[in-house]
Amino acid sequence: MSTESLFKELQNSSLSQSIGQLDSITGAFAQLFHIAGFLLILTAVLLVNLRLIGLGLNKQTIPNLAKATKPLVIYGLVLLLFSGLFTFLPSATLYYPNPAFWLKIYLFVFALIIQFTLYRKVTSVEAPNRILAGLTAVLSITLWFGVAFAGRAIGFLN
Amino acid sequence: MSVVSLLQQMHDSEFGTALRESLYMFPLIEGIHLIGLALSVGLIIVTDLRLIGGFLKEVPVADVLKQLRPWLLAGFVITFVTGILLLWAEGPRMWAIPVFPIKLVLIVLAGLNAIWFEYKYGRTVHDWGAHVHFPKGAKLAGWVSLVSWSAVVVCGRLIPYLEATQH
């Protein structure tokens, strides 16, 4: 099955149809949860990454800060995923031809991979290699901010 | 001069027209306005949560305020400058959306709250910050900031949403 027909199937599923029939207030709430999730993740990642490059809460150890911000990342991800699917499913075929949508998806997947591999490894030790810590911070910030930026661009290209 | 005629003048100016009609500048400025939120509102919410007592409890409140301040202020500069540019380009349309004036009122409220907090508690944070229980006023300022900035973001997100559903 091609991706395009998969998107059609998704849009025509009974779940997507029922979501599509909800009123616009529900849609507005989905948007608000989406931005709340985005703010939670970006802020948490920003706090830790600033610390990684030595410019944030420097009296805190890196593992402590990573641990304290982890719930924000998890709650943020849950909010993002649910509200994102809620918005995407009833209009999947509208998103298919949108290059900003695909850029967002690729960046999001890449950001997740970095988050649960490199970022997790670097933030688990008190004194990671400085160059590796710096690279991780720049990569992580660029990817997550890129996801948000591409997300905003979807609306301009639709 | 009324707000509407000022916004109309900005809108009709050469600069406003160029911004609005630019293929890349307008979306770029809006994107920066959005991600600037992580620095400005995101980090201020971190300090609010610390004041209220729900986050980073082991970090002295004075450290949170002092070490995040430059980032926070940089974030607000980015958010405000891009916000003014967006208003320059699209002022009259923004003003017609009911949540926009509400957003402005909330920003003023949040700003006054921050000034009041700085004046009343900012200089003595090393004293009261060392205690387990913070002064009620400081905690209240944290709550007011948290609620008003969250409401600013809600109103801000509703602007393009309402705009899209109105047309």
Side-chain angles (χ1 to χ4, degrees):
Chain A
M1 188 193 281
S2 73
T3 317
E4 194 174 3
S5 48
L6 172 71
F7 273 42
K8 269 186 194 149
E9 291 270 329
L10 281 174
Q11 185 170 322
N12 292 330
S13 71
S14 55
L15 175 67
S16 308
Q17 299 284 323
S18 347
I19 296 173
Q21 280 163 5
L22 296 169
D23 56 16
S24 60
I25 299 290
T26 327
F29 269 102
Q31 298 294 336
L32 293 178
F33 283 127
H34 207 60
I35 200 166
F38 142 81
L39 258 186
L40 281 178
I41 294 186
L42 247 59
T43 306
V45 166
L46 192 64
L47 264 186
V48 177
N49 283 328
L50 285 177
R51 173 68 186 84
L52 280 182
I53 47 176
L55 292 170
L57 295 168
N58 283 340
K59 289 182 187 163
Q60 278 295 292
T61 69
I62 294 169
N64 267 353
L65 208 52
K67 198 177 152 207
T69 52
K70 200 176 170 188
L72 299 186
V73 176
I74 303 296
Y75 295 143
L77 273 179
V78 171
L79 277 177
L80 269 190
L81 278 175
F82 276 100
S83 56
L85 280 173
F86 195 91
T87 313
F88 163 76
L89 283 174
S91 338
T93 52
L94 194 72
Y95 289 101
Y96 181 78
N98 193 319
F101 168 77
W102 288 105
L103 179 64
K104 181 182 180 179
I105 296 297
Y106 292 138
L107 288 173
F108 179 62
V109 171
F110 195 22
L112 276 184
I113 293 171
I114 295 296
Q115 184 76 20
F116 292 104
T117 55
L118 188 62
Y119 176 94
R120 182 188 249 179
K121 192 172 183 310
V122 170
T123 57
S124 66
V125 285
E126 288 202 9
N129 176 298
R130 283 184 71 177
I131 297 170
L132 188 65
L135 280 176
T136 308
V138 171
L139 189 62
S140 168
I141 291 266
T142 310
L143 286 171
W144 281 115
F145 276 52
V147 173
F149 213 82
R152 185 62 196 98
I154 293 174
F156 282 108
L157 296 176
N158 251 346
Chain B
M1 186 190 282
S2 74
V3 178
V4 180
S5 60
L6 174 68
L7 290 176
Q8 194 61 48
Q9 264 190 24
M10 286 160 78
H11 173 273
D12 296 341
S13 68
E14 210 173 308
F15 183 63
T17 309
L19 266 182
R20 189 170 52 255
E21 289 178 357
S22 154
L23 189 60
Y24 297 110
M25 275 312 277
F26 191 80
L28 189 69
I29 294 169
E30 216 179 61
I32 296 170
H33 189 63
L34 175 78
I35 59 177
L37 278 182
L39 277 169
S40 54
V41 175
L43 292 183
I44 211 161
I45 285 177
V46 168
T47 61
D48 296 339
L49 290 175
R50 178 65 190 91
L51 278 175
I52 294 165
F55 188 54
L56 295 175
K57 277 184 182 168
E58 66 284 7
V59 190
V61 68
D63 285 359
V64 176
L65 290 174
K66 194 177 156 209
Q67 293 178 336
L68 294 184
R69 186 167 291 146
W71 296 102
L72 234 153
L73 291 177
F76 274 108
V77 170
I78 294 169
T79 317
F80 275 113
V81 170
T82 49
I84 288 167
L85 289 174
L86 292 171
L87 192 65
W88 208 308
E90 293 276 19
R93 252 172 74 187
M94 300 279 119
W95 194 253
I97 302 165
V99 286
F100 182 72
I102 300 175
K103 180 183 176 183
L104 292 189
V105 171
L106 286 164
I107 291 172
V108 172
L109 174 73
L112 290 175
N113 177 61
I115 292 168
W116 179 74
F117 173 79
E118 273 305 318
Y119 173 75
K120 189 103 198 271
Y121 299 103
R123 285 164 296 182
T124 52
V125 61
H126 286 284
D127 302 329
W128 59 262
H131 300 286
V132 181
H133 297 290
F134 298 160
K136 276 189 181 146
K139 282 178 98 163
L140 179 68
W143 276 111
V144 172
S145 174
L146 181 68
V147 172
S148 48
W149 284 117
S150 304
V152 168
V153 175
V154 168
C155 289
R157 183 59 190 89
L158 287 177
I159 292 172
Y161 187 80
L162 291 176
E163 215 180 9
T165 48
Q166 269 177 4
H167 292 282

